[in-house]
Amino acid sequence: MAVLVSNHLRPWIPALLALTANSPVILGRDTGYASWRHMLWTRWPSAGPPPHFRSARHYDEVIATMLDYGSILDTAMVYWDIRLSAHQPTIEIRVSDVPATVQETILLATLVRGLVVTAQASLARGELAPPVDPEVLRAAYWRAARYGLDGDGVDVRSRQVVPASILLSRLLAHIRAALEETGDYTAARNALESVHALGNGARRQRRALRAGTVADVLDVVTVRPR
């Protein structure tokens, strides 16, 4: 079930990266990327989107291959953005940058749960996720890291280039039934509207850097005691 859910989630993962992008500045300069942290992380050979798995056995075989070739030293170095937990009967969603606020963290968790519940419902109806070309998925990742909420992303399912706001609206529509079942839909919609209006961490950091110095950026990202 976990690997089949992973297949269903793959098209939506870049949208979560765009939403949580929060690392545009390094060494006092704007990198040009909303999530430079993601770009650094992708240097690991075991990072990024997981493959489309045919079965749990296929999942284990891919990991065994990485171990044989030395691209990972142990299973803890499986850094895919969706991976099976080694300790719990669940999956781990690891794609996000660092959400900038408590509200954004709760929103991320709500969207992830909605995606998983929606995937389980699809699988209960016998609907397997269609494979997504790795090239399309990586292009979607790159645009999410590059532009965050302030540009166009890739709708992996339709292969359309659309504003990130539209992409996230489609994600919300995709999981609406699951969120309504738990009473989370209205809160998630309002939280998403708030992030669009106020900006995510990347947008706020850039605004501070343009208006001042790195110290002003730190004021944005640091929680100071009252």
Side-chain angles (χ1 to χ4, degrees):
M1 175 62 75
V3 296
L4 295 179
V5 166
S6 172
N7 292 342
H8 273 277
L9 265 58
R10 289 172 78 236
W12 299 105
I13 294 300
L16 299 180
L17 175 59
L19 175 67
T20 59
N22 188 26
S23 51
V25 178
I26 188 170
L27 299 177
R29 296 183 178 182
D30 191 326
T31 63
Y33 283 80
S35 181
W36 187 244
R37 183 179 288 108
H38 173 78
M39 300 306 297
L40 295 178
W41 187 247
T42 57
R43 294 181 299 177
W44 287 100
S46 57
H52 181 101
F53 297 111
R54 298 185 299 274
S55 63
R57 181 177 180 177
H58 182 208
Y59 182 95
D60 292 336
E61 288 172 348
V62 171
I63 292 176
T65 298
M66 292 193 296
L67 285 166
D68 289 342
Y69 291 167
S71 59
I72 59 174
L73 301 180
D74 53 49
T75 56
M77 290 183 66
V78 176
Y79 296 147
W80 290 323
D81 296 322
I82 310 170
R83 73 177 185 186
L84 274 64
S85 171
H87 309 292
Q88 300 292 336
T90 186
I91 58 176
E92 301 172 356
I93 310 303
R94 304 161 50 85
V95 69
S96 64
D97 204 329
V98 180
T101 65
V102 171
Q103 181 190 44
E104 289 169 60
T105 302
I106 294 172
L107 173 60
L108 173 66
T110 302
L111 296 178
V112 166
R113 184 172 66 177
L115 283 167
V116 172
V117 171
T118 300
Q120 289 178 306
S122 296
L123 291 168
R125 295 190 297 269
E127 301 171 3
L128 298 178
V132 175
D133 288 343
E135 295 79 8
V136 175
L137 191 54
R138 287 194 175 275
Y141 265 78
W142 180 84
R143 292 196 72 95
R146 177 71 169 84
Y147 299 110
L149 291 180
D150 297 318
D152 292 338
V154 177
D155 185 328
V156 174
R157 300 181 307 167
S158 65
R159 299 196 176 195
Q160 293 177 321
V161 175
V162 299
S165 58
I166 299 298
L167 189 58
L168 284 162
S169 295
R170 291 178 180 178
L171 188 159
L172 193 63
H174 174 66
I175 64 174
R176 179 168 183 166
L179 296 185
E180 287 181 338
E181 185 175 346
T182 56
D184 292 322
Y185 175 74
T186 300
R189 182 191 62 197
N190 292 342
L192 192 56
E193 291 176 353
S194 177
V195 175
H196 283 310
L198 301 176
N200 58 3
R203 187 187 298 171
R204 293 198 292 274
Q205 285 192 48
R206 283 174 162 160
R207 187 185 304 136
L209 186 63
R210 287 194 299 267
T213 65
V214 174
D216 297 294
V217 175
L218 293 176
D219 285 336
V220 169
V221 301
T222 305
V223 177
R224 298 179 182 273
R226 295 182 178 180

